[in-house]
Amino acid sequence: KNSKWKQDFDGNIDEAIISKNGKSCSIEEIEINDVLYYASEVNKLQVYNNKITGIYQVAKPNTESPEKITVSGKEYTIDSVYAYSKLYNSGEFEIGDSITLLFGKNGGIVDVIAADKTNNELVGYVVDVGAKNFTVDGITTKHYFVGIQFANGEKFEYITKILYSNFKNRVVKLKFENKYAKLNGVNG
């Protein structure tokens, strides 16, 4: 969803039956970057806000025609031409970028946005810090990273500009600036 999303629908969207992640919701609960599916014949709107943010690590079978990608150690299937166009070798993103994946109703990737464009501020526990090498087209580059454990039990890795070794085993707030994660300690 973007800020002008209502203009994209036929019918009376204000009177639509709306569900978000399988539960009834109001139109006011729809947020920027939610994934929307509209069935005009029954005036029903399905909304999904499943997303993850992490480091784009691998494209399979390759970056020229990716079918699956690995982000922060987990593999995901590309489920739309729109997402594909952003992830292939001439697309918007490349290996090593911090990205946010938006998932559709089938659990596949339907869109990809830069992590620093999501305005998300995440809170988690730093379980790992270090540096990793990424190889793209035979060129290896080194990036600092942090591993963050979230309250829901999931762990993700994010690229950082600096080594945050003094943040290990601490609760932090995580923001994104220019494709890099930036950490701030949480007091209390």
Side-chain angles (χ1 to χ4, degrees):
K1 165 190 149 182
N2 60 39
S3 59
K4 299 176 184 175
W5 68 275
K6 283 187 181 182
Q7 297 171 11
D8 295 335
F9 293 96
D10 296 330
N12 189 352
I13 198 70
D14 291 318
E15 295 180 14
I17 299 167
I18 305 170
S19 65
K20 187 170 185 175
N21 297 327
K23 297 179 182 175
S24 181
C25 78
S26 69
I27 202 163
E28 290 79 24
E29 294 175 75
I30 300 172
E31 302 171 279
I32 299 289
N33 297 323
D34 281 352
V35 176
L36 310 176
Y37 296 90
Y38 182 61
S40 59
E41 60 279 356
V42 291
N43 202 25
K44 185 173 181 179
L45 181 65
Q46 291 179 300
V47 182
Y48 296 88
N49 73 343
N50 302 320
K51 57 189 159 213
I52 63 102
T53 300
I55 300 170
Y56 180 17
Q57 295 173 306
V58 176
K60 290 183 181 177
N62 53 51
T63 57
E64 288 185 18
S65 57
E67 296 171 9
K68 296 181 180 192
I69 65 168
T70 300
V71 173
S72 294
K74 296 180 182 174
E75 188 174 86
Y76 303 96
T77 301
I78 298 170
D79 200 23
S80 78
V81 172
Y82 192 64
Y84 174 90
S85 71
K86 292 182 174 185
L87 295 166
Y88 82 110
N89 62 349
S90 297
E92 190 174 330
F93 300 105
E94 57 189 44
I95 304 293
D97 286 348
S98 290
I99 59 176
T100 297
L101 304 178
L102 304 180
F103 300 99
K105 62 183 175 182
N106 298 322
I109 305 164
V110 296
D111 196 4
V112 184
I113 54 179
D116 59 351
K117 303 289 186 228
T118 61
N119 295 324
N120 286 345
E121 183 173 79
L122 306 171
V123 176
Y125 186 77
V126 180
V127 294
D128 199 12
V129 296
K132 284 190 176 185
N133 290 325
F134 293 91
T135 303
V136 179
D137 298 328
I139 300 170
T140 301
T141 56
K142 182 178 179 179
H143 290 282
Y144 293 117
F145 76 95
V146 293
I148 307 286
Q149 181 87 38
F150 293 100
N152 66 1
E154 291 191 298
K155 179 188 171 207
F156 293 101
E157 292 178 348
Y158 302 97
I159 292 176
T160 61
K161 277 189 172 181
I162 63 172
L163 182 62
Y164 281 100
S165 55
N166 57 331
F167 281 80
K168 189 165 183 185
N169 299 320
R170 289 182 55 193
V171 175
V172 296
K173 286 184 180 178
L174 180 73
K175 288 190 83 166
F176 296 93
E177 295 178 3
N178 300 320
K179 298 186 180 183
Y180 292 96
K182 184 176 180 182
L183 305 183
N184 288 305
V186 174
N187 296 327

